[in-house]
Amino acid sequence: MDANSECKDKKKSVTQSMLLCCKLYISESRNREALEPIERAAKLDPETVIINKFPDRDYNRVNYTLVSYVIHDSTGCPIYSPLHQTVVAMVAAAYDAINLEQHSGTHPRLGVVDDILIHPLARASLDEASWLAKKVAADIGNRFQVPVYLYAAAHPMGKALDTIRRELGYYRPNFRGIQWAGWAQPEQVPVKPDEGPEVVSRARGIVMIGAHKWVAMYNIPIMSTDLSVARRIAQRVSARGGGLPTVQTLGLFHGEDSTEIACILLEPNQIGADRVQNHVETLASQESLDVEKGYFTDLSPEMIIERYMKLISSSS
């Protein structure tokens, strides 16, 4: 085997086994012209693959799922992933196209780019996901002068995302008690960021960046417009409210005739969607409310890997 063939085989092995997944949450889904340059930026490097896009018009929020490989040096330390520059390019396009002061929706957010979450896939580890999260955080903080907060495995002390969000007022709606509109927080952040300045650009806001083993997002529609009831059910389902361990929830308006229990399943293999669905249905029945079958906002890790393999095979 010649050197070129050996190099290609080695790269193929890496691209199929040492994978990182990025979930990128952007505060916009209604303005197609704003999303187009972001999606063009995602396609600049063919070695980063867009696996899924999940827009939610009512929340005015979109989630992009991207996958690529990670390469290590001779000592086993990660040194390169195409995801790094792709994510930064998408963030740059988002800041150019979207002004947070003109944004509103019924899902909480603190930034144009609200959350960036890195997961390890296949044979990659949480250490590699954390490495990428910190690289992206440093670039965003320095290049765009945006306060960046690290969480979970990317944070030196493993600080949880919901803890940081509470400190920053993430969960408090600022319009009619049900919506988040513009920037209504102090421009001086109350908690020192891990990267970037301590003063917020009202047009860009703040970004959270974390690394975590697989987390599932599962939303359950409630056939009621009574937000107080949805919030009460959400509280009783969540670990924080004495409900299901490793489950975080929000009760939110979703559309004109329903509310929704938005769930984060931190350990979906232990406390999965079926158990959460059953618990919500039980609590809703006590309120004489109907519940629809919930839905995931992303694919499973297995489906993501399968789709990535097909896409890179077809492009090679």
Side-chain angles (χ1 to χ4, degrees):
M1 181 183 292
D2 62 32
N4 283 340
S5 297
E6 185 176 354
C7 182
K8 286 179 181 177
D9 286 347
K10 184 176 181 181
K11 183 180 177 183
K12 183 178 180 181
S13 174
V14 168
T15 60
Q16 294 183 357
S17 62
M18 307 297 286
L19 302 179
L20 295 175
C21 172
C22 174
K23 293 178 183 175
L24 178 61
Y25 295 87
I26 292 175
S27 300
E28 180 58 70
S29 68
R30 301 169 188 165
N31 184 350
R32 182 66 222 164
E33 289 184 3
L35 297 183
E36 285 175 353
I38 299 169
E39 292 169 17
R40 283 198 300 271
K43 298 173 183 176
L44 291 174
D45 187 339
E47 295 194 312
T48 296
V49 179
I50 303 177
I51 300 294
N52 194 45
K53 173 186 175 182
F54 189 88
D56 192 306
R57 186 171 181 83
D58 293 306
Y59 288 154
N60 202 8
R61 180 178 178 89
V62 63
N63 168 30
Y64 294 101
T65 304
L66 305 107
V67 175
S68 194
Y69 58 86
V70 57
I71 288 177
H72 303 74
D73 64 17
S74 59
T75 67
C77 294
I79 56 171
Y80 174 73
S81 173
L83 272 173
H84 179 189
Q85 292 305 323
T86 299
V87 171
V88 172
M90 292 177 73
V91 169
Y95 287 147
D96 284 344
I98 302 165
N99 184 335
L100 191 65
E101 289 195 285
Q102 297 170 5
H103 175 272
S104 66
T106 59
H107 193 288
R109 83 292 183 272
L110 284 172
V112 165
V113 180
D114 193 52
D115 186 17
I116 299 173
L117 177 55
I118 311 295
H119 295 299
L121 293 177
R123 286 175 44 227
S125 72
L126 202 50
D127 287 342
E128 289 145 347
S130 176
W131 163 81
L132 179 59
K134 287 184 277 192
K135 293 280 285 184
V136 170
D139 273 6
I140 292 175
N142 293 329
R143 178 174 167 184
F144 305 113
Q145 288 299 292
V146 170
V148 180
Y149 292 88
L150 296 171
Y151 67 90
H155 187 274
M157 305 300 292
K159 196 170 185 179
L161 175 61
D162 64 328
T163 299
I164 300 170
R165 283 175 162 173
R166 282 191 178 85
E167 291 174 346
L168 297 173
Y170 178 86
Y171 298 107
R172 293 194 297 268
N174 62 19
F175 184 65
R176 296 171 51 199
I178 61 169
Q179 288 198 48
W180 286 258
W183 177 263
Q185 305 287 347
E187 292 185 13
Q188 184 80 24
V189 293
V191 180
K192 183 177 173 61
D194 297 286
E195 299 285 354
E198 295 183 41
V199 176
V200 182
S201 158
R202 299 174 67 89
R204 294 178 174 180
I206 289 167
V207 60
M208 315 286 176
I209 302 181
H212 203 288
K213 59 186 177 180
W214 188 259
V215 172
M217 310 295 181
Y218 185 72
N219 297 344
I220 304 174
I222 307 291
M223 298 298 98
S224 168
T225 56
D226 190 336
L227 186 59
S228 65
V229 174
R231 286 173 174 166
R232 186 161 62 243
I233 293 172
Q235 170 112 17
R236 294 176 65 189
V237 171
S238 71
R240 183 179 172 86
L244 298 174
T246 70
V247 174
Q248 298 175 355
T249 60
L250 283 172
L252 302 170
F253 257 116
H254 193 253
E256 294 182 359
D257 57 359
S258 70
T259 49
E260 192 166 79
I261 312 298
C263 307
I264 300 177
L265 312 184
L266 296 174
E267 297 279 357
N269 292 330
Q270 295 181 24
I271 307 291
D274 288 345
R275 189 166 168 189
V276 175
Q277 180 81 34
N278 291 336
H279 197 33
V280 169
E281 288 177 0
T282 298
L283 295 172
S285 68
Q286 296 171 9
E287 306 276 358
S288 301
L289 294 178
D290 292 328
V291 175
E292 288 191 352
K293 178 67 175 174
Y295 60 93
F296 290 101
T297 65
D298 213 333
L299 305 175
S300 69
E302 295 77 15
M303 292 174 68
I304 287 172
I305 292 171
E306 181 182 355
R307 186 171 290 188
Y308 170 78
M309 296 302 184
K310 285 181 179 178
L311 289 169
I312 61 168
S313 296
S314 63
S315 63
S316 60

